[in-house]
Amino acid sequence: MQRDMDIVRRIALETAVLPFGNSLDALDGVDRATFGVHVQWMQEAGLVKAAVQEYQSGEPPSAFVLRLTWEGCEFADAVRSDTLWNKAKVSVLKPASSFTFGLLKDWIASEVREGFPTLRG
């Protein structure tokens, strides 16, 4: 399975608006296996606190997100704008098919710091 940054973004944004004490255990249009693996990756990246149940038999993990971490809140805030996200997909994600998550975060932070110059031009 390949990492899908649109799913990562959706998980972050949906978790950001959850009422306190609620958890996220699914996304519309995303199968449970894909959701579970992406939550596991997000937990490994330090974006979320989650409960992940891994299975030995090769089954995909079962997972639910408890909350965003500080880093996850920063990521959700940075990718909230559809315009900025679409620009990131064109400028970073597509050209660099082997991009790193750090590269994406740095690019978004740079755009925010510079006041979205690429969005004006």
Side-chain angles (χ1 to χ4, degrees), residues 2 22 33 35 37 46 48 57-58 62-63 69 74 77 81 95 98 100 102 108 116 120:
Q2 290 189 332
N22 290 10
F35 177 82
V37 169
V48 297
S57 63
S62 171
T69 61
E74 296 283 319
D77 288 343
S81 163
S98 62
T100 65
I108 290 172
F116 308 111
R120 291 189 298 247

Side-chain angles (χ1 to χ4, degrees), residues 41-103:
W41 287 333
M42 290 176 74
Q43 183 175 39
E44 292 167 353
L47 297 175
V48 297
K49 293 291 184 183
V52 177
Q53 175 65 52
E54 294 186 65
Y55 301 103
Q56 298 298 324
S57 63
E59 293 288 317
S62 171
F64 61 92
V65 181
L66 301 167
R67 65 176 179 82
L68 294 175
T69 61
W70 186 272
E71 184 74 18
C73 290
E74 296 283 319
F75 176 74
D77 288 343
V79 299
R80 192 171 316 280
S81 163
D82 289 338
T83 305
L84 180 58
W85 182 248
N86 289 329
K87 185 71 174 177
K89 286 169 54 171
V90 170
S91 300
V92 179
L93 300 180
K94 286 213 181 196
S97 58
S98 62
F99 76 95
T100 65
F101 185 65
L103 175 66

